[in-house]
Amino acid sequence: MSLVPAFEIGIWNAWILQVLFFLTLSIPDFLISKEAKERTKRATQSVPLTKTEKMLALSTHAVITPLTVLYSIFLPLKIGTVWLYVGLPIFALALVMTVMPRINFATTPLDEPVTKGVYRISRHPIYLSGFLLYVGIGIACASWVLLLFAAAWIVLWHIVVPAEERFCLEKYGDFYREYMNRTPRWIGIPKSVEK
């Protein structure tokens, strides 16, 4: 990793991974019904956020994402290096964790919390996938700048997710509280809950 970020336009730059990621975002649209898409959209828009939480959530989408996409145009992949071979599997995991939560969310009834699939190992796999995306690309390109973006991404969402959890506790009650007790916020092995 170099202290001075690389800036060169090329075919084998990180933009390829960004395009692959954005193509992956549309995959669940082919796999789920229109009703499930509408159900997902309604449920995700109903979380009440404070002004600060809205600002932090918006900054991840309006600042961090565009900066990483723009930077990826000029950021060469470290072809043939350990950096690439370590970063690509992390990036691939991020792609899977982008598709699976959307499918899990869309196939769960609106009156129930999503607790299946990747939601069994993380209460917030969508945000975790964004973090892994930036970490994977950052490592594949040996870019401390993208790793810094990854850190900013997860810190900002770590501040916002308690609002989502409060909303789910109010909406689903003890069922969600039990889910919170057995499932880690970010990632890990679910705890068994004795009944």
Side-chain angles (χ1 to χ4, degrees), residues 2 5 27-28 30 38 41 47 52 72 80 92 94 99 102 114 131 136 144 147 152 172 176 182 186 188:
S2 163
I27 288 174
F30 297 111
E38 186 59 33
K41 184 178 175 183
V47 176
T52 303
S72 72
V99 174
R102 293 179 70 204
V114 183
F131 172 71
W144 64 268
L147 294 176
Y172 304 113
Y176 192 77
R182 74 173 182 268
W186 294 115

Side-chain angles (χ1 to χ4, degrees), residues 28-60:
D29 291 339
F30 297 111
L31 301 173
I32 59 178
S33 68
K34 287 185 180 185
E35 295 81 22
K37 285 183 218 176
E38 186 59 33
R39 196 171 55 230
T40 302
K41 184 178 175 183
R42 281 195 326 260
T44 56
Q45 292 175 343
S46 59
V47 176
L49 299 173
T50 67
K51 188 181 264 188
T52 303
E53 291 164 341
K54 283 180 189 173
M55 183 188 71
L56 292 173
L58 182 63
S59 67
T60 61

Side-chain angles (χ1 to χ4, degrees), residues 120-155:
R120 288 184 178 157
I121 60 168
S122 173
R123 294 195 309 259
H124 303 284
I126 295 171
Y127 304 138
L128 181 61
S129 72
F131 172 71
L132 291 174
L133 172 82
Y134 297 136
V135 167
I137 296 174
I139 292 172
C141 297
S143 170
W144 64 268
V145 174
L146 276 179
L147 294 176
L148 189 63
F149 282 138
W153 171 272
I154 205 70
V155 165

Side-chain angles (χ1 to χ4, degrees), residues 85-106:
Y85 300 124
V86 171
L88 283 183
I90 296 170
F91 173 77
L93 178 62
L95 292 183
V96 169
M97 288 191 69
T98 299
V99 174
M100 294 310 298
R102 293 179 70 204
I103 293 170
N104 297 149
F105 206 94

